[in-house]
Every structure is written in structure tokens, then in C-alpha cells.
Amino acid sequence: MMAIEMTAPGGADVLMPTQVNRPVPRPGEILIKVAAAGVNRPDILQRRGLYPPPPGASDILGLEVAGTVEGENHYFPKGCRVMALLPGGGYAEYAVAKADHVIEIPDHLSFEAAAGLPETVYTVWANVMEAGALQKGETLFVHGATSGIGTMAASIGNAFGATVYGTAGSPEKCAAAERLGFAKCYNYREDDWADQMVKQGGADVVLDMVGGDYVAKNLSFLNHRGRHISIAFLQGATATLPIFPVMQKQLVLTGSTLRGRTDDEKARLTAEIEEHILPHIRSKNILPIIDRVFPMQEAAQAHGHMEQGDHVGKIILSV
């Protein structure tokens, strides 16, 4: 089968189409004929040699796919349209997934749209809705408003009755974010977004993927018993925090990664997403935002497009 492999850690040009053996599902797994795969920041980190796959996972990139079930199994009928969260192996014509990490695709979604859901939906559900305990009527603040995670956070936040604010890096991207459900998006290169959020009445939950000095700024506008959720640290893994506001406002600071969670934890998240999120996807209250679809053989160009930072929503590879 065709797959995209790395010739060595490095830039996007190390990604090359090659022929490899088709994976064989083990007990509890299903084989998926991949129609589309999502491109995510962890893929870029792995390509650079900074984020190795967990033990036992494929060293082929790709954390989410959509396609059809191949072969007989005890979980899904052959030919069933499914989307799946993977620990790796998505940039290929076939991938294996834990059966309880797989969700049937609603009829109205294309494979490309479905491939943009698992990584973002699981991340937002686990961090914003579970760890952040976002409630109807509360305010969510999201950095990286036009990223795949950011656009999904706005979609889920709005679907559950929250008001969503955020940041992006240009007036054009802020305007796009506001068209996609953000009540207000601040240009972090020009606006004092922390001061503006204080004037807006603060936020109850912050989803942060920047780290560094953003963390203290986020805390400055978190409301009483606000929740700060870290999921990445693009601008630095170290933050200096004022402790007194944390104590005074009874703030909660937490964070997580998705790929390193146990299989049982991912199965639990899958069941909760099927119960709480899938009905919103079926009713089109929650939809993935797709920026661009590349042929899988052009994975290097897709990575380059993500690294340029001009995308709005998900970047997808199509087989």
C-alpha cells in the first residue's frame, strides 16, 4: 500500500510517498481503507523529531482518518463509513484503529469533513467540556481562533450555549473567526486582548495553546473560579505566575495531551462524544471547518501550508 514516510527527521521535504505492507488488525482493532486523513500540529512535531509515537504505535504520521471498514470484524459491518482517532498511521491507504476509538460517520458528512473531526473534537471535549467544565451562559476564550482546535472550540462552545472570544494573528483571520462563531476575535499582534477581556467582563474558561507569558495574561481576566486549560506551548513551556490572584479567585490551572492517554481513556471519550457531540454533528450545529484538501502524495505541501500559518480550520489529505 502507499504511505507517507519520513526519510529522516527534518523539514517538510522529508515526507515521501512509499510502498509499505498493509497493517494487520489485532484483536479489538479494525482495518480502515482510508479515504482522508487530518493534518495536525503533532504531526509536524513528530516530523521534526520532537514528538515520538507512543510505544507500539505506527511510526507513520497521522492521528485521525475517515474511510470504510475493510474485512470482517465483530464491531462494524464491512463498508461502513467511519472516522477514527489513531496513535499514528493515518497517512496511508490503510490504517488500523481500536474498535472503541471509532465512530460511524453521519450521512451528510464527506470523508474529508469527517477526517477533520476526531483530533479536534476529542481535544475540545476532554479539555473544554470535561476539565474546563464549560457551562451554558459562561464565556470561553480561545487562543489560535482559526486553527482546527480553535474553530472546533467555537463550534462546540456555541452549541452548548457559551459565548466565545479569542485571538488570531491578522485582521483577516479575526474577521474569519467572527464569521465562524466568535463573538469577538482580537488581533494579538495589535490588540491588548487581556485588557479588552477585562472590559468585556472576563472569561470563565481559557483554552491556551501558546504558553509562555500568555499564561499570566490569561489569569488576569479569568473570573472567580475560572479554569485555565493548557494544551500546547508554542511560545514557551515555562510560565511565571502571580500566585495571589490564583488564590483570591480560586482559579484552576490544568492541561493535558491526547495522544498519550490510555486506550481505555480514549474509549471513554469516544462513548461520551457519541452521546453528547454526535447529535450536534448530525443536526449540523457542530461542523468541521476545512481550509484545504491536498492529495495524500502532497503531504509535504500540506505541512508547508500549515507551517505558513495562513489556514483557517483543518488541513486534510485525500487518498
Side-chain angles (χ1 to χ4, degrees):
M1 70 170 188
M2 186 276 292
I4 303 299
E5 289 200 317
M6 297 164 42
T7 56
D13 59 350
V14 305
L15 299 178
M16 300 292 293
T18 187
Q19 292 293 314
V20 299
N21 293 328
R22 182 188 297 188
V24 177
R26 294 170 292 192
E29 295 180 336
I30 63 171
L31 180 66
I32 299 173
K33 181 175 175 57
V34 176
V39 177
N40 294 282
R41 286 283 174 188
D43 301 342
I44 289 176
L45 293 176
Q46 183 175 335
R47 190 203 73 213
R48 294 174 179 170
L50 303 175
Y51 193 26
S58 171
D59 58 3
I60 295 171
L61 303 180
L63 303 178
E64 58 186 348
V65 296
T68 53
V69 173
E70 186 82 0
E72 303 299 331
N73 63 84
H74 301 296
Y75 311 101
F76 293 90
K78 182 178 180 180
C80 182
R81 294 180 355 116
V82 295
M83 52 189 170
L85 184 73
L86 309 176
Y91 289 17
E93 288 183 299
Y94 291 87
V96 292
K98 292 284 185 181
D100 49 9
H101 302 170
V102 176
I103 297 173
E104 188 171 349
I105 299 172
D107 292 341
H108 70 278
L109 285 183
S110 67
F111 286 122
E112 291 79 9
L117 283 169
E119 183 75 10
T120 57
V121 169
Y122 280 73
T123 297
V124 174
W125 177 259
N127 289 283
V128 173
M129 304 306 296
E130 285 199 341
L134 183 68
Q135 301 296 311
K136 182 178 180 179
E138 289 192 323
T139 297
L140 168 66
F141 189 90
V142 181
H143 290 293
T146 55
S147 67
I149 296 291
T151 55
M152 183 53 64
S155 189
I156 290 177
N158 286 323
F160 283 84
T163 302
V164 188
Y165 291 81
T167 62
S170 70
E172 294 77 15
K173 294 182 81 170
C174 282
E178 290 172 5
R179 289 194 297 270
L180 295 172
F182 283 81
K184 178 66 178 178
C185 180
Y186 300 104
N187 181 349
Y188 64 77
R189 302 181 194 277
E190 299 176 357
D191 298 329
D192 187 343
W193 44 269
D195 181 65
Q196 290 298 314
M197 282 306 299
V198 171
K199 295 176 181 177
Q200 291 283 1
D204 302 292
V205 178
V206 171
L207 184 65
D208 180 59
M209 55 191 81
V210 182
D213 63 1
Y214 271 44
V215 179
K217 293 179 181 179
N218 296 335
L219 300 190
S220 72
F221 62 84
L222 267 176
N223 293 330
H224 182 68
R225 293 188 175 177
R227 289 83 73 194
H228 185 284
I229 319 295
S230 295
I231 59 170
F233 41 87
L234 298 176
Q235 297 298 323
T238 301
T240 301
L241 305 178
I243 298 299
F244 184 63
V246 176
M247 299 164 56
Q248 185 183 41
K249 295 194 285 185
Q250 301 177 36
L251 304 181
V252 174
L253 280 71
T254 187
S256 73
T257 60
L258 181 60
R259 192 179 194 183
R261 292 178 183 240
T262 66
D263 288 341
D264 286 346
E265 177 74 358
K266 292 175 183 176
R268 180 187 65 79
L269 291 172
T270 302
E272 292 184 355
I273 287 165
E274 288 183 312
E275 179 180 357
H276 299 288
I277 297 292
L278 200 56
H280 287 282
I281 294 174
R282 291 195 183 103
S283 64
K284 303 182 183 180
N285 287 331
I286 294 174
L287 289 173
I289 303 303
I290 305 302
D291 176 83
R292 187 170 169 186
V293 178
F294 290 82
M296 187 166 285
Q297 292 88 338
E298 296 180 9
Q301 291 91 321
H303 275 223
H305 183 56
M306 175 168 278
E307 289 176 299
Q308 287 172 1
D310 295 330
H311 59 288
V312 175
K314 293 287 294 192
I315 299 169
I316 303 296
L317 302 177
S318 179
V319 178

Short mmCIF file of all heavy atoms in Angstrom, two decimals, residues 161-201:
data_model
loop_
_atom_site.label_atom_id
_atom_site.label_comp_id
_atom_site.label_asym_id
_atom_site.label_seq_id
_atom_site.Cartn_x
_atom_site.Cartn_y
_atom_site.Cartn_z
N GLY A 161 -24.15 26.68 24.38
CA GLY A 161 -24.69 27.88 24.98
C GLY A 161 -23.70 28.82 25.60
O GLY A 161 -24.08 29.69 26.40
N ALA A 162 -22.43 28.71 25.26
CA ALA A 162 -21.41 29.63 25.77
C ALA A 162 -21.18 30.75 24.77
O ALA A 162 -21.55 30.67 23.59
CB ALA A 162 -20.10 28.89 26.04
N THR A 163 -20.54 31.83 25.24
CA THR A 163 -20.07 32.91 24.38
C THR A 163 -18.57 32.75 24.22
O THR A 163 -17.86 32.53 25.21
CB THR A 163 -20.39 34.28 25.00
OG1 THR A 163 -21.80 34.38 25.21
CG2 THR A 163 -19.95 35.41 24.08
N VAL A 164 -18.07 32.86 22.98
CA VAL A 164 -16.68 32.53 22.70
C VAL A 164 -15.92 33.74 22.18
O VAL A 164 -16.37 34.40 21.23
CB VAL A 164 -16.58 31.37 21.68
CG1 VAL A 164 -15.14 30.90 21.55
CG2 VAL A 164 -17.48 30.21 22.10
N TYR A 165 -14.78 34.02 22.81
CA TYR A 165 -13.85 35.06 22.38
C TYR A 165 -12.51 34.40 22.06
O TYR A 165 -12.26 33.26 22.47
CB TYR A 165 -13.63 36.10 23.48
CG TYR A 165 -14.83 36.97 23.79
CD1 TYR A 165 -15.87 36.51 24.60
CD2 TYR A 165 -14.93 38.26 23.27
CE1 TYR A 165 -16.97 37.30 24.89
CE2 TYR A 165 -16.02 39.06 23.55
CZ TYR A 165 -17.04 38.58 24.36
OH TYR A 165 -18.12 39.39 24.64
N GLY A 166 -11.64 35.12 21.33
CA GLY A 166 -10.35 34.52 21.03
C GLY A 166 -9.37 35.48 20.42
O GLY A 166 -9.61 36.69 20.32
N THR A 167 -8.23 34.93 20.00
CA THR A 167 -7.18 35.71 19.34
C THR A 167 -6.76 35.03 18.05
O THR A 167 -6.84 33.81 17.89
CB THR A 167 -5.92 35.85 20.23
OG1 THR A 167 -5.38 34.53 20.48
CG2 THR A 167 -6.23 36.54 21.54
N ALA A 168 -6.29 35.85 17.11
CA ALA A 168 -5.68 35.38 15.87
C ALA A 168 -4.65 36.43 15.44
O ALA A 168 -4.57 37.51 16.04
CB ALA A 168 -6.73 35.15 14.79
N GLY A 169 -3.90 36.13 14.38
CA GLY A 169 -2.73 36.94 14.07
C GLY A 169 -2.88 37.99 13.00
O GLY A 169 -1.88 38.60 12.59
N SER A 170 -4.09 38.25 12.51
CA SER A 170 -4.27 39.28 11.49
C SER A 170 -5.72 39.73 11.48
O SER A 170 -6.61 38.98 11.94
CB SER A 170 -3.90 38.74 10.10
OG SER A 170 -4.86 37.79 9.66
N PRO A 171 -6.00 40.92 10.95
CA PRO A 171 -7.39 41.35 10.84
C PRO A 171 -8.23 40.39 10.00
O PRO A 171 -9.40 40.15 10.31
CB PRO A 171 -7.29 42.73 10.18
CG PRO A 171 -5.92 43.22 10.52
CD PRO A 171 -5.05 41.99 10.55
N GLU A 172 -7.63 39.84 8.95
CA GLU A 172 -8.37 38.92 8.09
C GLU A 172 -8.75 37.64 8.84
O GLU A 172 -9.87 37.14 8.71
CB GLU A 172 -7.53 38.57 6.86
CG GLU A 172 -7.26 39.72 5.92
CD GLU A 172 -6.18 40.68 6.41
OE1 GLU A 172 -5.41 40.30 7.35
OE2 GLU A 172 -6.10 41.81 5.88
N LYS A 173 -7.82 37.11 9.62
CA LYS A 173 -8.11 35.90 10.37
C LYS A 173 -9.11 36.17 11.49
O LYS A 173 -9.98 35.33 11.78
CB LYS A 173 -6.82 35.28 10.92
CG LYS A 173 -5.90 34.78 9.81
CD LYS A 173 -4.66 34.13 10.35
CE LYS A 173 -4.91 32.70 10.78
NZ LYS A 173 -3.68 31.95 11.10
N CYS A 174 -9.02 37.34 12.10
CA CYS A 174 -10.01 37.69 13.13
C CYS A 174 -11.41 37.81 12.52
O CYS A 174 -12.39 37.35 13.11
CB CYS A 174 -9.62 39.00 13.81
SG CYS A 174 -8.30 38.80 15.04
N ALA A 175 -11.49 38.41 11.35
CA ALA A 175 -12.79 38.52 10.68
C ALA A 175 -13.33 37.14 10.34
O ALA A 175 -14.54 36.87 10.50
CB ALA A 175 -12.66 39.36 9.41
N ALA A 176 -12.45 36.23 9.89
CA ALA A 176 -12.89 34.86 9.60
C ALA A 176 -13.39 34.18 10.86
O ALA A 176 -14.42 33.49 10.84
CB ALA A 176 -11.74 34.07 8.99
N ALA A 177 -12.68 34.37 11.98
CA ALA A 177 -13.11 33.76 13.24
C ALA A 177 -14.48 34.26 13.66
O ALA A 177 -15.32 33.48 14.13
CB ALA A 177 -12.07 34.05 14.33
N GLU A 178 -14.72 35.54 13.49
CA GLU A 178 -16.02 36.10 13.88
C GLU A 178 -17.14 35.59 12.97
O GLU A 178 -18.27 35.39 13.42
CB GLU A 178 -15.94 37.62 13.90
CG GLU A 178 -15.07 38.13 15.05
CD GLU A 178 -14.80 39.62 15.00
OE1 GLU A 178 -15.36 40.31 14.12
OE2 GLU A 178 -14.01 40.11 15.83
N ARG A 179 -16.84 35.33 11.71
CA ARG A 179 -17.84 34.72 10.83
C ARG A 179 -18.15 33.29 11.26
O ARG A 179 -19.24 32.77 11.00
CB ARG A 179 -17.35 34.72 9.37
CG ARG A 179 -17.32 36.09 8.72
CD ARG A 179 -17.15 35.98 7.21
NE ARG A 179 -15.89 35.35 6.84
CZ ARG A 179 -14.75 36.01 6.63
NH1 ARG A 179 -14.71 37.34 6.77
NH2 ARG A 179 -13.66 35.37 6.27
N LEU A 180 -17.20 32.65 11.93
CA LEU A 180 -17.35 31.25 12.31
C LEU A 180 -17.85 31.05 13.74
O LEU A 180 -17.85 29.93 14.24
CB LEU A 180 -16.00 30.53 12.13
CG LEU A 180 -15.50 30.43 10.69
CD1 LEU A 180 -14.10 29.88 10.64
CD2 LEU A 180 -16.45 29.57 9.85
N GLY A 181 -18.26 32.14 14.40
CA GLY A 181 -18.91 31.96 15.69
C GLY A 181 -18.28 32.64 16.88
O GLY A 181 -18.82 32.58 17.98
N PHE A 182 -17.12 33.28 16.70
CA PHE A 182 -16.53 34.03 17.80
C PHE A 182 -17.27 35.35 17.97
O PHE A 182 -17.48 36.09 17.00
CB PHE A 182 -15.04 34.30 17.53
CG PHE A 182 -14.16 33.11 17.78
CD1 PHE A 182 -14.03 32.11 16.82
CD2 PHE A 182 -13.47 32.97 18.97
CE1 PHE A 182 -13.23 31.00 17.05
CE2 PHE A 182 -12.66 31.87 19.21
CZ PHE A 182 -12.54 30.88 18.25
N ALA A 183 -17.64 35.66 19.21
CA ALA A 183 -18.30 36.94 19.48
C ALA A 183 -17.36 38.09 19.19
O ALA A 183 -17.77 39.15 18.70
CB ALA A 183 -18.76 36.98 20.93
N LYS A 184 -16.07 37.89 19.47
CA LYS A 184 -15.04 38.88 19.16
C LYS A 184 -13.71 38.16 19.11
O LYS A 184 -13.41 37.31 19.95
CB LYS A 184 -14.99 39.97 20.25
CG LYS A 184 -13.91 41.03 20.05
CD LYS A 184 -14.17 41.88 18.82
CE LYS A 184 -13.10 42.96 18.65
NZ LYS A 184 -13.33 43.77 17.42
N CYS A 185 -12.92 38.48 18.08
CA CYS A 185 -11.56 37.95 17.95
C CYS A 185 -10.59 39.10 17.94
O CYS A 185 -10.74 40.05 17.16
CB CYS A 185 -11.43 37.11 16.68
SG CYS A 185 -9.78 36.40 16.45
N TYR A 186 -9.59 39.05 18.82
CA TYR A 186 -8.60 40.12 18.93
C TYR A 186 -7.33 39.75 18.15
O TYR A 186 -6.89 38.60 18.17
CB TYR A 186 -8.25 40.37 20.40
CG TYR A 186 -9.43 40.77 21.23
CD1 TYR A 186 -10.04 39.86 22.10
CD2 TYR A 186 -9.97 42.05 21.15
CE1 TYR A 186 -11.15 40.22 22.85
CE2 TYR A 186 -11.07 42.42 21.90
CZ TYR A 186 -11.65 41.50 22.75
OH TYR A 186 -12.74 41.86 23.49
N ASN A 187 -6.77 40.74 17.49
CA ASN A 187 -5.50 40.57 16.79
C ASN A 187 -4.39 40.64 17.83
O ASN A 187 -4.09 41.71 18.36
CB ASN A 187 -5.34 41.67 15.74
CG ASN A 187 -4.06 41.53 14.94
OD1 ASN A 187 -3.16 40.74 15.27
ND2 ASN A 187 -3.94 42.33 13.88
N TYR A 188 -3.76 39.51 18.12
CA TYR A 188 -2.77 39.50 19.20
C TYR A 188 -1.52 40.31 18.86
O TYR A 188 -0.75 40.66 19.76
CB TYR A 188 -2.39 38.07 19.59
CG TYR A 188 -1.70 37.25 18.52
CD1 TYR A 188 -0.36 37.42 18.21
CD2 TYR A 188 -2.41 36.26 17.83
CE1 TYR A 188 0.27 36.66 17.24
CE2 TYR A 188 -1.80 35.49 16.87
CZ TYR A 188 -0.45 35.68 16.57
OH TYR A 188 0.16 34.92 15.62
N ARG A 189 -1.32 40.65 17.59
CA ARG A 189 -0.16 41.48 17.22
C ARG A 189 -0.41 42.97 17.50
O ARG A 189 0.55 43.74 17.59
CB ARG A 189 0.17 41.31 15.74
CG ARG A 189 0.46 39.86 15.32
CD ARG A 189 0.80 39.79 13.84
NE ARG A 189 0.75 38.43 13.35
CZ ARG A 189 1.75 37.55 13.47
NH1 ARG A 189 2.86 37.90 14.08
NH2 ARG A 189 1.62 36.31 12.99
N GLU A 190 -1.67 43.34 17.63
CA GLU A 190 -2.00 44.76 17.77
C GLU A 190 -2.85 45.09 18.99
O GLU A 190 -2.72 46.18 19.56
CB GLU A 190 -2.74 45.25 16.51
CG GLU A 190 -1.94 45.12 15.22
CD GLU A 190 -2.75 45.52 14.00
OE1 GLU A 190 -3.95 45.84 14.15
OE2 GLU A 190 -2.18 45.50 12.88
N ASP A 191 -3.72 44.20 19.41
CA ASP A 191 -4.69 44.50 20.47
C ASP A 191 -4.18 44.07 21.83
O ASP A 191 -3.48 43.04 21.95
CB ASP A 191 -6.02 43.78 20.20
CG ASP A 191 -6.67 44.21 18.90
OD1 ASP A 191 -6.49 45.38 18.52
OD2 ASP A 191 -7.37 43.38 18.27
N ASP A 192 -4.53 44.82 22.85
CA ASP A 192 -4.30 44.39 24.23
C ASP A 192 -5.48 43.51 24.63
O ASP A 192 -6.43 43.95 25.28
CB ASP A 192 -4.18 45.61 25.15
CG ASP A 192 -3.79 45.24 26.57
OD1 ASP A 192 -3.92 44.05 26.94
OD2 ASP A 192 -3.36 46.13 27.33
N TRP A 193 -5.42 42.25 24.20
CA TRP A 193 -6.56 41.37 24.34
C TRP A 193 -6.89 41.06 25.80
O TRP A 193 -8.06 40.89 26.15
CB TRP A 193 -6.34 40.06 23.57
CG TRP A 193 -4.97 39.47 23.73
CD1 TRP A 193 -3.89 39.69 22.94
CD2 TRP A 193 -4.55 38.56 24.75
NE1 TRP A 193 -2.81 38.98 23.40
CE2 TRP A 193 -3.19 38.27 24.50
CE3 TRP A 193 -5.18 37.94 25.83
CZ2 TRP A 193 -2.45 37.40 25.31
CZ3 TRP A 193 -4.45 37.08 26.65
CH2 TRP A 193 -3.10 36.83 26.38
N ALA A 194 -5.87 41.03 26.67
CA ALA A 194 -6.15 40.77 28.08
C ALA A 194 -6.94 41.92 28.69
O ALA A 194 -7.94 41.71 29.40
CB ALA A 194 -4.85 40.55 28.84
N ASP A 195 -6.53 43.15 28.40
CA ASP A 195 -7.26 44.32 28.93
C ASP A 195 -8.67 44.39 28.35
O ASP A 195 -9.63 44.69 29.05
CB ASP A 195 -6.48 45.59 28.59
CG ASP A 195 -7.16 46.83 29.14
OD1 ASP A 195 -7.26 46.97 30.37
OD2 ASP A 195 -7.61 47.66 28.33
N GLN A 196 -8.79 44.06 27.06
CA GLN A 196 -10.10 44.08 26.43
C GLN A 196 -11.04 43.05 27.05
O GLN A 196 -12.23 43.30 27.22
CB GLN A 196 -9.97 43.84 24.93
CG GLN A 196 -9.34 44.99 24.16
CD GLN A 196 -10.17 46.26 24.25
OE1 GLN A 196 -11.38 46.23 24.08
NE2 GLN A 196 -9.51 47.38 24.51
N MET A 197 -10.49 41.90 27.43
CA MET A 197 -11.34 40.88 28.04
C MET A 197 -11.76 41.28 29.46
O MET A 197 -12.87 40.93 29.89
CB MET A 197 -10.61 39.53 28.07
CG MET A 197 -10.63 38.83 26.72
SD MET A 197 -12.31 38.60 26.03
CE MET A 197 -13.09 37.58 27.28
N VAL A 198 -10.91 42.00 30.17
CA VAL A 198 -11.33 42.52 31.47
C VAL A 198 -12.54 43.43 31.27
O VAL A 198 -13.54 43.35 32.00
CB VAL A 198 -10.18 43.28 32.16
CG1 VAL A 198 -10.69 44.02 33.40
CG2 VAL A 198 -9.06 42.31 32.53
N LYS A 199 -12.47 44.31 30.25
CA LYS A 199 -13.58 45.22 29.98
C LYS A 199 -14.83 44.48 29.51
O LYS A 199 -15.96 44.94 29.74
CB LYS A 199 -13.16 46.25 28.93
CG LYS A 199 -12.05 47.19 29.42
CD LYS A 199 -11.59 48.12 28.31
CE LYS A 199 -10.46 49.03 28.80
NZ LYS A 199 -9.94 49.90 27.72
N GLN A 200 -14.65 43.31 28.86
CA GLN A 200 -15.79 42.52 28.40
C GLN A 200 -16.45 41.75 29.53
O GLN A 200 -17.51 41.14 29.35
CB GLN A 200 -15.35 41.53 27.31
CG GLN A 200 -14.96 42.16 26.00
CD GLN A 200 -16.15 42.59 25.16
OE1 GLN A 200 -17.30 42.43 25.55
NE2 GLN A 200 -15.88 43.17 24.01
N GLY A 201 -15.81 41.74 30.70
CA GLY A 201 -16.38 41.00 31.82
C GLY A 201 -15.66 39.72 32.14
O GLY A 201 -16.10 38.94 32.99
#
